[in-house]
Amino acid sequence: MEGAHRLARRALLACLVGCCLVVQLSWRGGHDSVLAAVMPAAPAGVDVRRKRFALFIDSDAHGPANWAPALQAVRGEGDVVAACLFLAAGSPQSEDPSWKSTLDALGIQAKVVPADEASLELAAEAAQLVAEGKVEVIALAVKDGDFHFLAEKIQECVQVFSPGAKFEMMEIG
């Protein structure tokens, strides 16, 4: 329960300050009630546009069993306009037909990139989607230690492509 209170406090402080909101969701934990309490519903009769999301998945951190739940978690928050899984070139998964068919069935694009450039590719693609106004939220399904590093890199890239652009980050874990 303490984690839920910490999540609510972090989300509330981020909203009050107006900075880049970092929301941590877990499709196993179910923090929906906490988010609902922090972010109240719109008044009746008000048409509120759903936020547009891009989901980026690290194949080293999340295999096929996690892809559908990750999509479901993001769809619960808004519209998924882009979903991409980054695969290291030369890895067994990059040539696995079952991975490719599962990705295709879920509508997730596979990007095979050199392993040492995956973080840069992800950050550049995310920043481009924000700069072009295609998404308001970047959702990352990555290793625990990678989220803050990638969030910082994405923020840096956005400032290069579109200084002053505002967007949110969401961690899927």
Side-chain angles (χ1 to χ4, degrees):
M1 191 64 169
E2 182 179 305
H5 290 293
R6 189 174 60 239
L7 171 67
R9 184 169 189 266
R10 184 171 47 187
L12 181 59
L13 288 173
C15 288
L16 292 174
V17 175
C19 64
C20 180
L21 174 63
V22 178
V23 177
Q24 184 173 22
L25 271 184
S26 170
W27 59 78
R28 289 179 228 120
H31 299 296
D32 295 340
S33 60
V34 174
L35 291 176
V38 173
M39 299 171 197
V46 175
D47 183 27
V48 177
R49 189 176 68 101
R50 289 173 50 93
K51 290 186 178 180
R52 295 169 295 158
F53 285 73
L55 170 62
F56 294 98
I57 303 170
D58 177 1
S59 65
D60 289 342
H62 297 283
N66 295 332
W67 301 338
L71 276 170
Q72 182 180 3
V74 175
R75 285 184 180 133
E77 298 296 317
D79 297 323
V80 178
V81 298
C84 186
L85 176 96
F86 285 83
L87 293 157
S91 69
Q93 297 88 349
S94 67
E95 299 300 323
D96 186 335
S98 67
W99 275 49
K100 290 183 180 193
S101 65
T102 302
L103 290 168
D104 288 344
L106 292 170
I108 299 173
Q109 178 184 14
K111 291 222 176 218
V112 180
V113 297
D116 59 343
E117 296 178 16
S119 294
L120 296 175
E121 292 282 341
L122 187 153
E125 184 155 334
Q128 182 176 357
L129 289 170
V130 170
E132 292 173 352
K134 294 180 179 176
V135 299
E136 292 91 25
V137 184
I138 302 295
L140 298 176
V142 297
K143 295 176 188 166
D144 288 339
D146 290 349
F147 177 77
H148 293 291
F149 170 79
L150 286 169
E152 185 176 298
K153 290 297 173 199
I154 292 168
Q155 183 69 34
E156 290 171 5
C157 287
V158 167
Q159 292 310 309
V160 169
F161 288 126
S162 184
K166 296 190 187 268
F167 67 100
E168 300 171 14
M169 296 293 306
M170 180 169 134
E171 183 175 2
I172 304 293

